[in-house]
RNA sequence: CGGGGCGUAGCUCAGCUUGGUAGAGCGCCCGGUUUGGGACCGGGAGGUCGCAGGUUCGAAUCCUGUCGCCCCGACCA
C-alpha cells in the first residue's frame, strides 16, 4: 500500500503544545498522532490509529495462540449487573454514570467482568463447554480524579480485557498461566521490559494476582525486588514476621516523664539523654511504638477510628493502608475525631495505661487496635503512656498489651527482608502495563454462573480476568523511542514500513520517487510517500524525523547519478544505493 | 479535594505592574523568486483578549465572581 502525503490527514506542529508535559504526549501531538478532546480523552488521527492497530494486532495474535476468542461488548452498559456485584457503589466517583431519557442509570464500563459473566451464563450450562477464554479490545472509561501525562493516564483508554471460565481450580490455574504466558510473549514482541510482581487483588476480589510492571522512573507503582528473585508491588508486600521472643524474665514496664516529646525524634533524644538503655546501646526510633490514628470511611458512609501500632521508624503507607482496610477509604483523623475520644492523649497515645488497656475493642476506648507484624509477642517498646508528657518504657507485647489483629500498613524500605527469604529487597518504580487476576468465584457466585459437572451437580464457575493497557503501551513505547528530533518507532509498531521523501523540484526526482515507491509496494511494504511538491527539503526531513518511521528513503539530488539514500532514523546513517536496488536492500 | 500556574489570532507567546480601544514569530491565502536541513520578497485573511458583573469618560490591563486547562499532591490501569 502507498499513502501519499498530498492527500493524507496529517498536520505536524512546529512547536510543542502548551498543555503537554511528558515526552510521549508532546511528540504524539506534534507529529499528528493524537489530539486532546477533553482532559484524559483523545482523538486518534490516522497515524495514531495505525500504530494502535499494530499493537492490537500483536495482542490478537497472541490471544489466538492462547486459545482466546475475540468478542466486543458495548462501552455503554446498564446499571443492573454492576449493582448485583456491588461495583456500582464500590467504584465510587471513578465510574462514569449517566441516565438515559427514561431516567434509567447507565454507565461507561471501567471493565467488563459482569457482562462477560452474564453472556457465558446465558449460553453455557455444562462443564463440557469449559474451559473458555474470551477477550475484547475496547475502550474503558474511568473518571480519574486527575488524568495526566497524556495517554499514560487517560479517562478513556483502550484495553484488551480477557476472561477465563473454568469449573475446577486446576483449570483456572491453567487458564491463568496461558494468559500469563501470552503476556510475556506480547511484551517481548513489543520490546517492553517488564517485571511480573505480586499484586493486591483489591476490590476485584479473588486470590492470585500479578501485575506486569514496566520499570520506569515515571511509573506510579512502587515495587520491590530481591536478588533472589522475589518481586512484588508494595501494596501486596507481606512483612517477614520475626519469631516471638521469650517473655519470661523481662523487666517490668516503667513510666518516665518525657515532657515536650511530641515526635518520635524528640522522644528518642530524651530517652537517650535521660533514660539510657541498661546495656548502653542507644535507643533508636525502631525501639519506639508509634500509634497512628486512622479514620476509615466505610461504604455505607459510617466512620470508624482505627489505631495502628508500628515501629517508630516506619510511616504508614496510605496505599498499603487502603489495601489493608479495603473497601473502606482512609482519611487522617480530624480534631473532631479526637474530641469524640477524650481518652486519647495526642502525642502520647499508647495501648497501656496505669488504669488498664486504652486501645483495643475491649479497652476503655473501644477503638480497634491493630499491630504491625513486627510487633510480636515478647518485643519490648517505648510508647505513650496516655498521659501528657509521659511515656512508658519496656512495654512488652503479649504481656502488657495485645492488639485486635495485624495490619500491613507500614511503609516498605530498601533493605527489608523479602518474605520468601530471598534476601533484602530494593525499591523500583514501574508503570502497570498488564494485570492478571484469578477472580475465583466472586463474580460467578453473585451473578449465578453455574454449570453441571460430570456428576450432574451444579458447580459455580471459577474465573480469571486479564487486562493489558493498549493505549498506555503505545505511550510507553513513544516514551522509550525518541530523540531530540522526534519519534523513532520500533519496526513492529511503526505506522508505515518505509517513509519515502522526494526532495527538490526536478520532475526527474519525482519520477524516480514514483519508481522507488512502486518497487517498495511490489515488495510488500506499506509506504508513506512525501510527494508534496512545494515543500522544502528541510521541512520534509524534519517531518520525517518527527513522525519517526524507522526506515526512510531520500530521493533527491542523487537521482542524477541513479542513486537514492537509505536513511536509518535510529542510527541516523545514510547509505546511497542504486534506485533499482532500494526495495531489495530494505527487504534484506 | 488541597497547593501552584495559566486562559490574548489556527499554534507558541508578548502586552497587564503604570487603563487610552491589540501585537510578534510560525502557520494559512494570492503573486513572484527559491528547493539537501524547518527559504525569501511583496500583498492579504484571521481575535466578542475564557465568561459575567463592577470601578472608570474609557478595561486585555484594576476589582469581584465564575468556568476551563496544565503541573504537584491525595486517588487511580
Amino acid at each position: 500500500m502507498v499513502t501519499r502525503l498530498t492527500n493524507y490527514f496529517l498536520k505536524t506542529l512546529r512547536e510543542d503544545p502548551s498543555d503537554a508535559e511528558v515526552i510521549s504526549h508532546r511528540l504524539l501531538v506534534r507529529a499528528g498522532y493524537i489530539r486532546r478532546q477533553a482532559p484524559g480523552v483523545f482523538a486518534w488521527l490516522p497515524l495514531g490509529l495505525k500504530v494502535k492497530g499494530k499493537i492490537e494486532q500483536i495482542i490478537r495474535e497472541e490471544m489466538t495462540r492462547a486459545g482466546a476468542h475475540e468478542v466486543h461488548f458495548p462501552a455503554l452498559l446498564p446499571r443492573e449487573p454492576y449493582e448485583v456485584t456491588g461495583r456500582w457503589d464500590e467504584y465510587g466517583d471513578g465510574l462514569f454514570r449517566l441516565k438515559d431519557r427514561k431516567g434509567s442509570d447507565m454507565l461507561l464500563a471501567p471493565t467488563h467482568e459482569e457482562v462477560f459473566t452474564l453472556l457465558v451464563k446465558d449460553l453455557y450450562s455444562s462443564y463440557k463447554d469449559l474451559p473458555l477464554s474470551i477477550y475484547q479490545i475496547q475502550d474503558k472509561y474511568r473518571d480519574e480524579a486527575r488524568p495526566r501525562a497524556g495517554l499514560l493516564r487517560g479517562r478513556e483508554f483502550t484495553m484488551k480485557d480477557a476472561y477465563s471460565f473454568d469449573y475446577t481450580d486446576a483449570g483456572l490455574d491453567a487458564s491463568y498461566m496461558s494468559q500469563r504466558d501470552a503476556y510475556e510473549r506480547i511484551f517481548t514482541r513489543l520490546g517492553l521490559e517488564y517485571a511480573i510482581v505480586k499484586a493486591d487483588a483489591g476490590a476485584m476480589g479473588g486470590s492470585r494476582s500479578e501485575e506486569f510492571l514496566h520499570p520506569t522512573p515515571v511509573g506510579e507503582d512502587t515495587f520491590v525486588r530481591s536478588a533472589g528473585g522475589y518481586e512484588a508491588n508494595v501494596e501486596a508486600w507481606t512483612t517477614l514476621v520475626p519469631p516471638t521472643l521469650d517473655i519470661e524474665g523481662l523487666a517490668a514496664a516503667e513510666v518516665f516523664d518525657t515532657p515536650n516529646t511530641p515526635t518520635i525524634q524528640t522522644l528518642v533524644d530524651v530517652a537517650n539523654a535521660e533514660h539510657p538503655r541498661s546495656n548502653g546501646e542507644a535507643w533508636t526510633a525502631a525501639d519506639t511504638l508509634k500509634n497512628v490514628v486512622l479514620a476509615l470511611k466505610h461504604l455505607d458512609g459510617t466512620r470508624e477510628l482505627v489505631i495502628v501500632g508500628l515501629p517508630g521508624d516506619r510511616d504508614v503507607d496510605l496505599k498499603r493502608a487502603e489495601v489493608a482496610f479495603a473497601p473502606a477509604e482512609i482519611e487522617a483523623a480530624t480534631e473532631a475525631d479526637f474530641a469524640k475520644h477524650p481518652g486519647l492523649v495526642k502525642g502520647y497515645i499508647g495501648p497501656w495505661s496505669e488504669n488498664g488497656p486504652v486501645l483495643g475493642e475491649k479497652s476503655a476506648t473501644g477503638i480497634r487496635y491493630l499491630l504491625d507484624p513486627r510487633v510480636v509477642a515478647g518485643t519490648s517498646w517505648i510508647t505513650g503512656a496516655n498521659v501528657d508528657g509521659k511515656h512508658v518504657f519496656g512495654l512488652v507485647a503479649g504481656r502488657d498489651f495485645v492488639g485486635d489483629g495485624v495490619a500491613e500498613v507500614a511503609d516498605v524500605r530498601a533493605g527489608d527482608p523479602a518474605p520468601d527469604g530471598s534476601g533484602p529487597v530494593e525499591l523500583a518504580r514501574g508503570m502497570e502495563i498488564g494485570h492478571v487476576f484469578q477472580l475465583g468465584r466472586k463474580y460467578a457466585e453473585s451473578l449465578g454462573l453455574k454449570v453441571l459437572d460430570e456428576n450432574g451437580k451444579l458447580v459455580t464457575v471459577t474465573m480469571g480476568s486479564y487486562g493489558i493497557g493498549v493505549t498506555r503501551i503505545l505511550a510507553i513505547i513513544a516514551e522509550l523511542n525518541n530523540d531530540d528530533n522526534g519519534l523513532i518507532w520500533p519496526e513492529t509498531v511503526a505506522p508505515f514500513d518505509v517513509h519515502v521523501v522526494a526532495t527538490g523540484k526536478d520532475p526527474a526526482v519525482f519520477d524516480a520517487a514514483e519508481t522507488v515507491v512502486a518497487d517498495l509496494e511490489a515488495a510488500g511494504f506499506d509506504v508513506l510517500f512525501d510527494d508534496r511538491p512545494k515543500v522544502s527539503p528541510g521541512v520534509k526531513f524534519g517531518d520525517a524525523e518527527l513522525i519517526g518511521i524507522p526506515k526512510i528513503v531520500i530521493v533527491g539530488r542523487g537521482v542524477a547519478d541513479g542513486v537514492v539514500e537509505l536513511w536509518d532514523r535510529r542510527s541516523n546513517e545514510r547509505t546511497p544505493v542504486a534506485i533499482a536496488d532500494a526495495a531489495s536492500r530494505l527487504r534484506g
Side-chain angles (χ1 to χ4, degrees), chain A residues 51-71:
Chain A
V51 175
K52 191 162 167 266
K54 292 276 180 84
I55 295 170
E56 290 171 355
Q57 187 53 35
I58 288 171
I59 293 172
R60 284 196 173 92
E61 288 170 14
E62 296 304 335
M63 283 296 108
T64 301
R65 202 188 304 274
H69 310 289
E70 185 168 14
V71 298

Side-chain angles (χ1 to χ4, degrees), chain A residues 293 304-307 337-338 340-345 349-353 355-370 386 402 404:
Chain A
V293 184
E304 179 199 358
L305 283 197
V306 165
I307 295 182
D337 289 322
F338 280 99
K340 283 183 199 158
H341 294 280
L344 300 179
V345 183
I349 297 172
W352 173 95
S353 79
N355 306 319
V358 175
L359 305 178
E361 287 167 341
K362 291 173 189 149
S363 72
T365 59
I367 300 174
R368 191 144 62 107
Y369 184 52
L370 302 172
N386 293 291
V402 290
D404 297 315

Side-chain angles (χ1 to χ4, degrees), chain A residues 23-47:
Chain A
I23 189 76
S24 61
H25 188 196
R26 291 206 310 256
L27 289 174
L28 289 169
V29 172
R30 266 190 71 191
Y33 286 72
I34 59 171
R35 296 291 289 180
R36 196 192 73 93
Q37 296 299 303
V41 180
F42 293 86
W44 291 84
L45 309 192
L47 280 176

Side-chain angles (χ1 to χ4, degrees), chain A residues 295-315:
Chain A
L296 306 188
K297 226 175 90 184
H298 292 289
L299 276 185
D300 60 9
T302 57
R303 188 178 180 89
E304 179 199 358
L305 283 197
V306 165
I307 295 182
V308 178
L310 63 162
D313 61 331
R314 302 267 167 181
D315 286 323

Side-chain angles (χ1 to χ4, degrees), chain A residues 535-548:
Chain A
V535 176
S536 70
V539 172
K540 290 189 173 190
F541 294 156
D543 280 348
E545 284 166 321
L546 191 54
I547 292 166

